[in-house]
Amino acid sequence: MTEILSPRTARSVTGPPVLGALGLFTVLLGAALPLVDFFIVNVALPTIGHDLAAGEAVLELVVAGYGVAYAVLLVLGGRLGDMFGRRRLFLGGMVAFGLTSLACGLAPTAWTLVAARVAQGAASAAMLPQVLATIQSATRGPRRAKAMGLYGATAGLSMVAGQILGGVLVAADIAGTGWRAVFLVNVPVVLLGLFLAARAVPETRSQHPQPVDVPGTVLLAVALVSLLAPLTEGRAAGWPLWTWLSLALFPVAATAFYLVERRAERRGRTPLVPPGLFADVPLRRGLVMIVPFSVGFSGFMFVIAVALQQGAGLSPVRAGLALVPMAVAFFVASLLGPRLIARWGTRVVTAGGVLQAVGVGVLTVTVWSSWPHLGGPGLWPGLIVAGAGQALQLPVLFRVILSQVPAARAGVGSGVMITVQQSALALGVATLGTLFLSLVPGRGMGQALTTTLLVQLAGVLLTTALSLRLPREIT
């Protein structure tokens, strides 16, 4: 027990590196920052648009530029950590994240903000894969299970807390900074993280590092950009020719990526994303489940932020605070999760899916019957049930996906998992957000929100059905 609690166990002299309590807190802080920043701008977008005279297409780039750069570079970030040391990449990524956050907060124009957000996404891609890779390499047995559970809880809470924090900071208008505070707040947090990481995070790396897979990196980047860029920008830009050409390029680039990676693996090299990694059934099935879960999560958070402010007339702070019960329910259920998993295994994911479906169903009925008189208390029952259900799914899925990944491939495995999650988060904003905004002119915001919630409910039911295929026990 002393080993778990003492921060002095961050570096083991005689054995493998050990991640102590302070080190775990530090890497979880690093994991929270990129996810918070993906969602923190949702409630700030109207204010940013007014202050910088930015149109809808440019505002979508503020969100999409970060998400696409983040998703495209995540696997590469994991590989670089395997090669050069995960602590080193974590520290470097955190420094870059702090500097790019400062650039976002000081951006004089909308396009400067877009460029800074792209750079911030790249910094996140260097930092985040090192978190799971360090946990995989520097923890064992029950300590790893506990750490993975805490990572899952941190990820879920960060996505909800980001939106809440964004509303509070915009409304507080600290020293007249307005929306800029949603980025500037990262700077002191980064300074704290750097101080703690230098003391408490052990250095780990692959014992047999492989060179960067340049063809695989380029093809993965082309595939993800060709899919995510037109989906996020197409509606606001009026679906010009380039969006359709880009979407047509996606299956070609994805197929070429798979063929190049398979050939590299057959020749004994280590590709960027080893196809053999997907031979592991729990990993493959867990990744499939992550997609509809994350699409629904991010799509809901984006749509609810727009609907509550522009439709129900809530202020940014009230729109953010409306989600507090969801965050509280997620936190409480996350604490109960490990005990439930020890007794019921992955059937906890199925139960969580059922709970989330009930919560989304209640939200749908609430919106349909109460719009536009929609305040925070009216949403709370659905949000509480849905939040608890999400907390019983996400941490378990992370554990399932990485349960069979060897420590030597921890960076690659975590990079692949986070890339799938991040791409799905960006896809959720692009698809559900586009659906919602496309329906608003013809059907009104209330009906558009109801329809979008029904689509999300279908995704929750799909996730619940897929959970029945997970292995019962987590090794």
PDB file of all heavy atoms in Angstrom, residues 160-179:
ATOM      1  N   VAL A 160     -17.242  16.929 -19.846  1.00  0.00           N
ATOM      2  CA  VAL A 160     -18.383  17.672 -19.312  1.00  0.00           C
ATOM      3  C   VAL A 160     -17.907  18.957 -18.628  1.00  0.00           C
ATOM      4  O   VAL A 160     -18.473  20.033 -18.838  1.00  0.00           O
ATOM      5  CB  VAL A 160     -19.182  16.805 -18.312  1.00  0.00           C
ATOM      6  CG1 VAL A 160     -20.378  17.587 -17.774  1.00  0.00           C
ATOM      7  CG2 VAL A 160     -19.645  15.525 -18.975  1.00  0.00           C
ATOM      8  N   ALA A 161     -16.833  18.841 -17.825  1.00  0.00           N
ATOM      9  CA  ALA A 161     -16.343  19.998 -17.079  1.00  0.00           C
ATOM     10  C   ALA A 161     -15.849  21.098 -18.001  1.00  0.00           C
ATOM     11  O   ALA A 161     -15.943  22.284 -17.670  1.00  0.00           O
ATOM     12  CB  ALA A 161     -15.228  19.569 -16.131  1.00  0.00           C
ATOM     13  N   GLY A 162     -15.318  20.719 -19.179  1.00  0.00           N
ATOM     14  CA  GLY A 162     -14.842  21.736 -20.110  1.00  0.00           C
ATOM     15  C   GLY A 162     -15.949  22.694 -20.496  1.00  0.00           C
ATOM     16  O   GLY A 162     -15.752  23.922 -20.526  1.00  0.00           O
ATOM     17  N   GLN A 163     -17.113  22.154 -20.775  1.00  0.00           N
ATOM     18  CA  GLN A 163     -18.233  23.006 -21.177  1.00  0.00           C
ATOM     19  C   GLN A 163     -18.727  23.863 -20.009  1.00  0.00           C
ATOM     20  O   GLN A 163     -19.075  25.022 -20.186  1.00  0.00           O
ATOM     21  CB  GLN A 163     -19.374  22.141 -21.709  1.00  0.00           C
ATOM     22  CG  GLN A 163     -20.261  22.863 -22.686  1.00  0.00           C
ATOM     23  CD  GLN A 163     -20.644  21.989 -23.869  1.00  0.00           C
ATOM     24  OE1 GLN A 163     -19.791  21.403 -24.510  1.00  0.00           O
ATOM     25  NE2 GLN A 163     -21.914  21.904 -24.149  1.00  0.00           N
ATOM     26  N   ILE A 164     -18.763  23.286 -18.829  1.00  0.00           N
ATOM     27  CA  ILE A 164     -19.174  24.043 -17.639  1.00  0.00           C
ATOM     28  C   ILE A 164     -18.193  25.182 -17.377  1.00  0.00           C
ATOM     29  O   ILE A 164     -18.576  26.335 -17.160  1.00  0.00           O
ATOM     30  CB  ILE A 164     -19.265  23.115 -16.414  1.00  0.00           C
ATOM     31  CG1 ILE A 164     -20.345  22.042 -16.641  1.00  0.00           C
ATOM     32  CG2 ILE A 164     -19.552  23.912 -15.156  1.00  0.00           C
ATOM     33  CD1 ILE A 164     -20.335  20.951 -15.593  1.00  0.00           C
ATOM     34  N   LEU A 165     -16.899  24.840 -17.385  1.00  0.00           N
ATOM     35  CA  LEU A 165     -15.858  25.838 -17.118  1.00  0.00           C
ATOM     36  C   LEU A 165     -15.881  26.949 -18.160  1.00  0.00           C
ATOM     37  O   LEU A 165     -15.706  28.131 -17.828  1.00  0.00           O
ATOM     38  CB  LEU A 165     -14.491  25.153 -17.099  1.00  0.00           C
ATOM     39  CG  LEU A 165     -13.277  26.039 -16.809  1.00  0.00           C
ATOM     40  CD1 LEU A 165     -13.390  26.665 -15.418  1.00  0.00           C
ATOM     41  CD2 LEU A 165     -11.983  25.220 -16.916  1.00  0.00           C
ATOM     42  N   GLY A 166     -16.129  26.590 -19.414  1.00  0.00           N
ATOM     43  CA  GLY A 166     -16.184  27.601 -20.459  1.00  0.00           C
ATOM     44  C   GLY A 166     -17.272  28.631 -20.193  1.00  0.00           C
ATOM     45  O   GLY A 166     -17.050  29.843 -20.333  1.00  0.00           O
ATOM     46  N   GLY A 167     -18.440  28.162 -19.805  1.00  0.00           N
ATOM     47  CA  GLY A 167     -19.531  29.085 -19.504  1.00  0.00           C
ATOM     48  C   GLY A 167     -19.217  29.997 -18.339  1.00  0.00           C
ATOM     49  O   GLY A 167     -19.495  31.206 -18.380  1.00  0.00           O
ATOM     50  N   VAL A 168     -18.623  29.436 -17.289  1.00  0.00           N
ATOM     51  CA  VAL A 168     -18.295  30.224 -16.098  1.00  0.00           C
ATOM     52  C   VAL A 168     -17.249  31.286 -16.423  1.00  0.00           C
ATOM     53  O   VAL A 168     -17.368  32.458 -16.022  1.00  0.00           O
ATOM     54  CB  VAL A 168     -17.797  29.295 -14.973  1.00  0.00           C
ATOM     55  CG1 VAL A 168     -17.243  30.112 -13.810  1.00  0.00           C
ATOM     56  CG2 VAL A 168     -18.925  28.392 -14.493  1.00  0.00           C
ATOM     57  N   LEU A 169     -16.211  30.909 -17.176  1.00  0.00           N
ATOM     58  CA  LEU A 169     -15.126  31.845 -17.474  1.00  0.00           C
ATOM     59  C   LEU A 169     -15.594  32.972 -18.390  1.00  0.00           C
ATOM     60  O   LEU A 169     -15.206  34.136 -18.205  1.00  0.00           O
ATOM     61  CB  LEU A 169     -13.952  31.100 -18.115  1.00  0.00           C
ATOM     62  CG  LEU A 169     -13.156  30.192 -17.178  1.00  0.00           C
ATOM     63  CD1 LEU A 169     -12.122  29.390 -17.957  1.00  0.00           C
ATOM     64  CD2 LEU A 169     -12.472  31.005 -16.082  1.00  0.00           C
ATOM     65  N   VAL A 170     -16.426  32.651 -19.392  1.00  0.00           N
ATOM     66  CA  VAL A 170     -16.925  33.701 -20.287  1.00  0.00           C
ATOM     67  C   VAL A 170     -17.773  34.697 -19.498  1.00  0.00           C
ATOM     68  O   VAL A 170     -17.660  35.915 -19.670  1.00  0.00           O
ATOM     69  CB  VAL A 170     -17.737  33.093 -21.438  1.00  0.00           C
ATOM     70  CG1 VAL A 170     -18.459  34.179 -22.227  1.00  0.00           C
ATOM     71  CG2 VAL A 170     -16.830  32.300 -22.377  1.00  0.00           C
ATOM     72  N   ALA A 171     -18.631  34.174 -18.627  1.00  0.00           N
ATOM     73  CA  ALA A 171     -19.507  35.060 -17.848  1.00  0.00           C
ATOM     74  C   ALA A 171     -18.727  35.873 -16.824  1.00  0.00           C
ATOM     75  O   ALA A 171     -19.051  37.028 -16.559  1.00  0.00           O
ATOM     76  CB  ALA A 171     -20.579  34.235 -17.150  1.00  0.00           C
ATOM     77  N   ALA A 172     -17.675  35.273 -16.237  1.00  0.00           N
ATOM     78  CA  ALA A 172     -16.902  35.977 -15.214  1.00  0.00           C
ATOM     79  C   ALA A 172     -16.144  37.166 -15.800  1.00  0.00           C
ATOM     80  O   ALA A 172     -15.907  38.161 -15.100  1.00  0.00           O
ATOM     81  CB  ALA A 172     -15.931  35.005 -14.549  1.00  0.00           C
ATOM     82  N   ASP A 173     -15.720  37.056 -17.067  1.00  0.00           N
ATOM     83  CA  ASP A 173     -15.018  38.150 -17.744  1.00  0.00           C
ATOM     84  C   ASP A 173     -13.868  38.665 -16.875  1.00  0.00           C
ATOM     85  O   ASP A 173     -13.763  39.861 -16.572  1.00  0.00           O
ATOM     86  CB  ASP A 173     -15.996  39.279 -18.065  1.00  0.00           C
ATOM     87  CG  ASP A 173     -15.413  40.307 -19.030  1.00  0.00           C
ATOM     88  OD1 ASP A 173     -14.444  39.966 -19.748  1.00  0.00           O
ATOM     89  OD2 ASP A 173     -15.889  41.460 -19.055  1.00  0.00           O
ATOM     90  N   ILE A 174     -12.979  37.750 -16.489  1.00  0.00           N
ATOM     91  CA  ILE A 174     -11.891  38.052 -15.553  1.00  0.00           C
ATOM     92  C   ILE A 174     -10.967  39.108 -16.143  1.00  0.00           C
ATOM     93  O   ILE A 174     -10.381  38.916 -17.211  1.00  0.00           O
ATOM     94  CB  ILE A 174     -11.101  36.775 -15.222  1.00  0.00           C
ATOM     95  CG1 ILE A 174     -12.035  35.720 -14.617  1.00  0.00           C
ATOM     96  CG2 ILE A 174      -9.953  37.075 -14.274  1.00  0.00           C
ATOM     97  CD1 ILE A 174     -11.410  34.363 -14.469  1.00  0.00           C
ATOM     98  N   ALA A 175     -10.847  40.228 -15.454  1.00  0.00           N
ATOM     99  CA  ALA A 175      -9.988  41.343 -15.877  1.00  0.00           C
ATOM    100  C   ALA A 175     -10.283  41.767 -17.318  1.00  0.00           C
ATOM    101  O   ALA A 175      -9.382  42.178 -18.052  1.00  0.00           O
ATOM    102  CB  ALA A 175      -8.511  40.963 -15.719  1.00  0.00           C
ATOM    103  N   GLY A 176     -11.540  41.637 -17.714  1.00  0.00           N
ATOM    104  CA  GLY A 176     -11.935  42.043 -19.053  1.00  0.00           C
ATOM    105  C   GLY A 176     -11.474  41.116 -20.159  1.00  0.00           C
ATOM    106  O   GLY A 176     -11.512  41.483 -21.340  1.00  0.00           O
ATOM    107  N   THR A 177     -11.068  39.901 -19.804  1.00  0.00           N
ATOM    108  CA  THR A 177     -10.546  38.981 -20.821  1.00  0.00           C
ATOM    109  C   THR A 177     -11.657  38.297 -21.616  1.00  0.00           C
ATOM    110  O   THR A 177     -11.423  37.795 -22.714  1.00  0.00           O
ATOM    111  CB  THR A 177      -9.662  37.898 -20.175  1.00  0.00           C
ATOM    112  OG1 THR A 177     -10.401  37.243 -19.128  1.00  0.00           O
ATOM    113  CG2 THR A 177      -8.399  38.506 -19.602  1.00  0.00           C
ATOM    114  N   GLY A 178     -12.877  38.217 -21.085  1.00  0.00           N
ATOM    115  CA  GLY A 178     -13.986  37.595 -21.813  1.00  0.00           C
ATOM    116  C   GLY A 178     -13.688  36.166 -22.207  1.00  0.00           C
ATOM    117  O   GLY A 178     -13.255  35.358 -21.381  1.00  0.00           O
ATOM    118  N   TRP A 179     -13.883  35.843 -23.499  1.00  0.00           N
ATOM    119  CA  TRP A 179     -13.664  34.476 -23.987  1.00  0.00           C
ATOM    120  C   TRP A 179     -12.202  34.055 -23.915  1.00  0.00           C
ATOM    121  O   TRP A 179     -11.897  32.853 -23.893  1.00  0.00           O
ATOM    122  CB  TRP A 179     -14.159  34.351 -25.430  1.00  0.00           C
ATOM    123  CG  TRP A 179     -13.458  35.270 -26.403  1.00  0.00           C
ATOM    124  CD1 TRP A 179     -13.872  36.510 -26.793  1.00  0.00           C
ATOM    125  CD2 TRP A 179     -12.226  35.024 -27.095  1.00  0.00           C
ATOM    126  NE1 TRP A 179     -12.974  37.060 -27.686  1.00  0.00           N
ATOM    127  CE2 TRP A 179     -11.956  36.164 -27.898  1.00  0.00           C
ATOM    128  CE3 TRP A 179     -11.331  33.970 -27.116  1.00  0.00           C
ATOM    129  CZ2 TRP A 179     -10.824  36.271 -28.695  1.00  0.00           C
ATOM    130  CZ3 TRP A 179     -10.195  34.067 -27.924  1.00  0.00           C
ATOM    131  CH2 TRP A 179      -9.957  35.208 -28.706  1.00  0.00           C
TER     132      TRP A 179
END
